[in-house]
Amino acid sequence: MVGLPSDFTVRALGNVHLKGVAGGMAHALFASENFDRPGGSSRNITVQGFTLDGNGSGMKYLEHRHLIDVIGTSNFRIIGNEFIEMSGDGVMVGRTFDGVTVCAQPSNFLYKSNYANGKRKNRNAVSIISCINPMIEADNVFEECSRPGLPAAVD
């Protein structure tokens, strides 16, 4: 997992494909810093231009394995990425990653110009558990990101 510090932009230059490792212990490919500290918070983070591959066909399904965890962060922007083979949800936004460690309330989350295909497991592209002022722009594309028992591409 890559921890993203405050006031940070990570932008892919060219075709950058990041894939979850079968048997790996990380709960996400990217997570905001301080996600695992009680009351933890971070701000102003952008993830842009990556192909994020959850390796759904190569991994055992786990409910809480996401591609990006937005925990306790204000102004987190996810722009122009591709989410494929999701094993858990593509992006999870909330105050806790484990149900125990409670971080600051996320706010001002932006999900724009992304493509998500959950065909392997039919996972949600974005799960917003807790956030003030979340924004999901209309220019995203969602394919096979739901199934019976799941609410929709965006939950």
Side-chain angles (χ1 to χ4, degrees), residues 3-10 30-33 41-47 68-71 73-79 108 110:
L4 303 173
S6 291
D7 302 313
F8 186 77
T9 296
V10 59
F30 288 120
S32 45
E33 70 176 351
S41 66
S42 53
R43 67 190 182 290
N44 304 325
I45 297 173
T46 302
V47 176
I68 299 177
D69 275 349
V70 179
I71 307 296
T73 305
S74 61
N75 301 317
F76 199 116
R77 295 164 298 278
I78 298 174
I79 303 169
N108 302 318
L110 174 65

Side-chain angles (χ1 to χ4, degrees), residues 2-142:
V2 177
L4 303 173
S6 291
D7 302 313
F8 186 77
T9 296
V10 59
R11 182 177 298 120
L13 300 176
N15 184 14
V16 178
H17 188 117
L18 300 176
K19 187 172 189 171
V21 177
M25 297 303 294
H27 60 87
L29 291 176
F30 288 120
S32 45
E33 70 176 351
N34 299 320
F35 74 92
D36 57 351
R37 295 185 180 100
S41 66
S42 53
R43 67 190 182 290
N44 304 325
I45 297 173
T46 302
V47 176
Q48 185 173 6
F50 288 90
T51 296
L52 300 169
D53 183 342
N55 193 16
S57 58
M59 278 202 223
K60 178 182 173 187
Y61 168 76
L62 286 175
E63 174 66 23
H64 298 287
R65 181 180 287 147
H66 313 112
L67 293 172
I68 299 177
D69 275 349
V70 179
I71 307 296
T73 305
S74 61
N75 301 317
F76 199 116
R77 295 164 298 278
I78 298 174
I79 303 169
N81 297 284
E82 183 175 343
F83 297 85
I84 59 174
E85 289 277 337
M86 294 177 283
S87 178
D89 298 330
V91 178
M92 199 282 288
V93 182
R95 296 186 69 189
T96 180
F97 77 98
D98 61 4
V100 176
T101 308
V102 179
C103 293
Q105 176 68 41
S107 62
N108 302 318
F109 168 73
L110 174 65
Y111 188 87
K112 178 177 177 49
S113 303
N114 296 290
Y115 168 79
N117 188 316
K119 70 179 181 180
R120 170 63 171 81
K121 306 280 187 196
N122 286 326
R123 299 303 303 162
N124 296 325
V126 181
S127 288
I128 300 175
I129 308 304
S130 176
C131 186
I132 297 169
N133 195 31
M135 177 66 70
I136 309 293
E137 295 283 338
D139 60 353
N140 295 289
V141 175
F142 303 110

